[in-house]
Amino acid sequence: DSGVTQTPKHLITATGQRVTLRCSPRSGDLSVYWYQQSLDQGLQFLIQYYNGEERAKGNILERFSAQQFPDLHSELNLSSLELGDSALYFCASSVRDRTVNEQFFGPGTRLTVL
Amino acid sequence: KNEVEQSPQNLTAQEGEFITINCSYSVGISALHWLQQHPGGGIVSLFMLSSGKKKHGRLIATINIQEKHSSLHITASHPRDSAVYICAVETDKLIFGTGTRLQVFP
């Protein structure tokens, strides 16, 4: 158990819908990272927050947004869902900001868009 | 060409064998990570390396910064080592390799 929690574990929804994925980092960790793992693209970095502020952006679509709240939990919002958004979404946390940081991964949320 | 290449893509071994998984990268990095992903999907961080060599139990990771290459070794492999091993390099973000699927048979 990494100490990072993600809810829900599974989510099944329809195209065009909007969903929110939630992540609680390990106690004391200030950075939260979001990743997408799809069958055709592998693992890809989406976005990082540190202590409530956006720090780095990767291949995140405009239909997706995220935020980190004062209690340090984070939410990833996915809207106008398409079939290709079906994937495993991981969050990870680390103590410090950005580089040379071990990251601790949550168990993931499996999103299925029908 | 991918910025992070792993080989082999698939690996089958008998219990007890010595395993090597390779990772080459083409970008400047601040660190390299080895991750393990089990069939259930969970990801565990095995190593984070900036230079040299690290050992944890039966796992050894090495990195050669000049050659932009890292290896993950598993000594005395066991069926419970069966998983996907993923190399990721750290720039201003993590860039992942496509993973090596390892199956160890009794």
Side-chain angles (χ1 to χ4, degrees):
Chain A
D1 184 357
S2 66
V4 179
T5 60
Q6 287 187 250
T7 56
K9 281 191 174 175
H10 302 275
L11 198 47
I12 301 174
T13 188
T15 54
Q17 295 298 305
R18 173 190 164 96
V19 297
T20 297
L21 312 184
R22 183 187 168 104
C23 169
S24 293
R26 288 188 326 156
S27 177
D29 284 359
L30 299 178
S31 271
V32 170
Y33 310 78
W34 285 99
Y35 299 97
Q36 180 194 57
Q37 186 178 36
S38 58
L39 281 175
D40 55 344
Q41 299 273 2
L43 266 165
Q44 290 194 94
F45 167 72
L46 295 178
I47 197 164
Q48 181 216 350
Y49 281 83
Y50 175 78
N51 205 19
E53 290 188 10
E54 183 185 302
R55 289 303 243 196
K57 244 181 177 176
N59 301 325
I60 187 166
L61 300 171
E62 283 193 17
R63 301 183 285 108
F64 296 2
S65 65
Q67 54 183 326
Q68 187 179 28
F69 295 86
D71 68 352
L72 301 176
H73 91 271
S74 178
E75 292 181 357
L76 179 67
N77 300 296
L78 315 177
S79 61
S80 303
L81 285 168
E82 301 175 0
L83 295 177
D85 298 327
S86 295
L88 259 173
Y89 291 84
F90 289 99
C91 85
S93 72
S94 67
V95 173
R96 294 185 303 274
D97 184 16
R98 303 182 72 178
T99 59
V100 198
N101 254 294
E102 183 176 6
Q103 295 186 21
F104 297 86
F105 285 79
T109 292
R110 185 174 296 278
L111 173 66
T112 303
V113 182
L114 301 174
Chain B
K1 190 179 188 289
N2 292 334
E3 291 164 302
V4 183
E5 300 273 2
Q6 282 186 243
S7 63
Q9 282 190 311
N10 294 283
L11 190 50
T12 301
Q14 289 293 125
E15 184 172 355
E17 285 186 10
F18 181 85
I19 306 285
T20 295
I21 299 170
N22 295 299
C23 175
S24 296
Y25 54 93
S26 57
V27 293
I29 69 169
S30 49
L32 182 142
H33 299 249
W34 282 103
L35 309 171
Q36 181 192 56
Q37 186 170 30
H38 275 284
I43 295 176
V44 174
S45 175
L46 298 175
F47 293 103
M48 183 181 66
L49 291 161
S50 300
S51 63
K53 177 177 173 177
K54 284 192 177 180
K55 184 176 191 291
H56 185 253
R58 296 180 293 107
L59 301 179
I60 303 165
T62 63
I63 188 168
N64 185 320
I65 297 291
Q66 286 73 32
E67 293 186 4
K68 296 190 173 178
H69 180 268
S70 175
S71 293
L72 176 69
H73 306 287
I74 305 175
T75 61
S77 60
H78 191 276
R80 65 175 175 266
D81 297 325
S82 298
V84 176
Y85 292 83
I86 302 169
C87 166
V89 299
E90 192 156 5
T91 56
D92 59 343
K93 61 186 181 187
L94 279 186
I95 305 172
F96 298 87
T98 52
T100 295
R101 185 174 300 277
L102 171 66
Q103 288 185 291
V104 182
F105 293 99

